[in-house]
Amino acid sequence: MSEQSSDHVIETAEGAALPADALVVADNVHKSFGRLEVLKGIDLQVTRGEVMCIIGPSGSGKSTFLRCINHLEKLSAGRLWVNGELMGYRQKRGRLYELRDNEIATQRSDIGMVFQRFNLFPHLSVVGNIIEAPVQVKKVPRAEATAKALELLERVGLPDKADAYPDQLSGGQQQRVAIARALAMEPSLMLFDEPTSALDPELVGEVLDVMRDLAKGGMTMVVVTHEMGFAREVGDSLVFMDDGVVVEAGVPSEVLSNPRHERTQAFLSKVL
């Protein structure tokens, strides 16, 4: 990075030089749970407007890495920046100090996350789910938040479900509401953790269609997925992870059609 001209780097508050077009920068990210080392030094950059798809076998660290991006998991070593801010920490005289919970919450408010399970509040209506965070966290007036929620429901193809409750919706509909809920915070980054893996096969397409539209609109997205067709069609980059490391990365069509690493070849031979 130090070789790049000053026009192409920005100085963060911590004094690190980051590419100006990078929304996410992971530098030697490690994560351990006790003696189990799940991430073993991840180096990745996601540029603004990029759709990065991450694939790999179960247990490879994909979801853990995603959760590290918004500090749902604390790093064991390394650093991770989003929008030029060091996630979860401030650095002073070369040492890291964890931010207070309210400071971390402020950072997270700029990152939308959609989980495998929809995690909707069962006691709230669809609109109630969508407006909860803008009203409670961003202090958006309820009427304004509701108007925005109705716009988002139109966007995800559920304009008639505003007053429904989660248990009245199909899995695909619940996941689309979860996407609308994440978008209600107007994030600069969306994280998707296998968003279709809990759905019946016939419901997968409706969720992927919403994600395609987000990509066309320029949303920066990191998507952990088993949907290779989506990765090939929509992804700008494809990362294959195994055993806590990035084994191979590149343009999706190239990685999927002509993987260089034999571990990638073995994985793709089973899923394509």
Side-chain angles (χ1 to χ4, degrees), residues 46-103:
V46 184
T47 59
R48 297 178 191 278
E50 178 180 354
V51 178
M52 175 181 284
C53 294
I54 303 178
I55 64 172
S58 297
S60 58
K62 309 183 300 295
S63 295
T64 298
F65 175 65
L66 209 65
R67 292 170 65 86
C68 286
I69 292 177
N70 64 359
H71 205 63
L72 284 176
E73 297 291 354
K74 300 178 184 180
L75 307 190
S76 301
R79 286 164 174 61
L80 211 156
W81 291 266
V82 176
N83 253 336
E85 288 191 15
L86 190 61
M87 280 301 297
Y89 301 92
R90 74 167 53 84
Q91 184 167 307
K92 191 172 182 181
R93 298 190 185 94
R95 298 188 64 184
L96 292 181
Y97 299 87
E98 189 161 16
L99 298 177
R100 294 189 295 271
D101 288 347
N102 65 322
E103 294 172 309

Side-chain angles (χ1 to χ4, degrees), residues 9-19 25 81-86 91:
V9 298
I10 56 174
E11 290 291 326
T12 71
E14 296 78 35
L18 305 176
V25 177
W81 291 266
V82 176
N83 253 336
E85 288 191 15
L86 190 61
Q91 184 167 307

Side-chain angles (χ1 to χ4, degrees), residues 247-263:
V247 176
E248 189 165 342
V251 176
S253 58
E254 294 178 3
V255 175
L256 292 172
S257 301
N258 190 29
R260 298 187 306 272
H261 196 283
E262 65 179 43
R263 182 66 191 92

Side-chain angles (χ1 to χ4, degrees):
M1 293 179 195
S2 60
E3 295 176 359
Q4 299 180 13
S5 71
S6 58
D7 292 337
H8 296 92
V9 298
I10 56 174
E11 290 291 326
T12 71
E14 296 78 35
L18 305 176
D21 62 347
L23 187 63
V24 180
V25 177
D27 178 24
N28 197 29
V29 168
H30 288 72
K31 175 61 183 179
S32 296
F33 296 96
R35 294 184 178 180
L36 177 63
E37 191 177 17
V38 177
L39 300 178
K40 302 175 181 178
I42 303 294
D43 295 300
L44 283 176
Q45 292 183 12
V46 184
T47 59
R48 297 178 191 278
E50 178 180 354
V51 178
M52 175 181 284
C53 294
I54 303 178
I55 64 172
S58 297
S60 58
K62 309 183 300 295
S63 295
T64 298
F65 175 65
L66 209 65
R67 292 170 65 86
C68 286
I69 292 177
N70 64 359
H71 205 63
L72 284 176
E73 297 291 354
K74 300 178 184 180
L75 307 190
S76 301
R79 286 164 174 61
L80 211 156
W81 291 266
V82 176
N83 253 336
E85 288 191 15
L86 190 61
M87 280 301 297
Y89 301 92
R90 74 167 53 84
Q91 184 167 307
K92 191 172 182 181
R93 298 190 185 94
R95 298 188 64 184
L96 292 181
Y97 299 87
E98 189 161 16
L99 298 177
R100 294 189 295 271
D101 288 347
N102 65 322
E103 294 172 309
I104 294 171
T106 298
Q107 287 187 325
R108 277 198 199 119
S109 68
D110 194 39
I111 304 171
M113 186 156 185
V114 179
F115 299 87
Q116 295 180 39
R117 295 289 174 179
F118 326 116
N119 292 356
L120 298 177
F121 297 116
H123 63 290
L124 295 179
S125 68
V126 164
V127 162
N129 268 278
I130 295 172
I131 70 173
E132 179 76 4
V135 170
Q136 299 298 329
V137 178
K138 285 193 168 182
K139 308 304 179 186
V140 176
R142 183 171 290 271
E144 181 183 332
T146 300
K148 176 72 172 178
L150 295 175
E151 288 178 19
L152 288 169
L153 285 174
E154 188 81 42
R155 186 174 178 183
V156 300
L158 295 171
D160 58 334
K161 298 298 184 182
D163 297 323
Y165 283 80
D167 65 0
Q168 297 172 314
L169 305 178
S170 70
Q173 291 170 334
Q174 289 188 61
Q175 194 62 296
R176 284 186 279 161
V177 172
I179 293 172
R181 179 178 62 178
L183 293 174
M185 292 293 282
E186 300 184 334
S188 61
L189 171 66
M190 286 284 286
L191 308 177
F192 292 87
D193 187 8
E194 299 188 18
T196 60
S197 65
L199 300 179
D200 292 332
E202 66 268 22
L203 302 178
V204 168
E206 62 191 49
V207 174
L208 294 182
D209 284 344
V210 172
M211 294 169 65
R212 284 187 187 93
D213 287 341
L214 286 180
K216 288 177 185 175
M219 175 63 74
T220 309
M221 298 159 60
V222 182
V223 184
V224 172
T225 185
H226 293 296
E227 301 292 338
M228 300 301 162
F230 175 85
R232 185 190 295 269
E233 175 194 348
V234 180
D236 298 300
S237 59
L238 183 66
V239 173
F240 172 65
M241 286 181 62
D242 188 31
D243 196 28
V245 299
V246 173
V247 176
E248 189 165 342
V251 176
S253 58
E254 294 178 3
V255 175
L256 292 172
S257 301
N258 190 29
R260 298 187 306 272
H261 196 283
E262 65 179 43
R263 182 66 191 92
T264 317
Q265 295 167 6
F267 174 77
L268 291 176
S269 71
K270 296 174 182 175
V271 299
L272 290 180

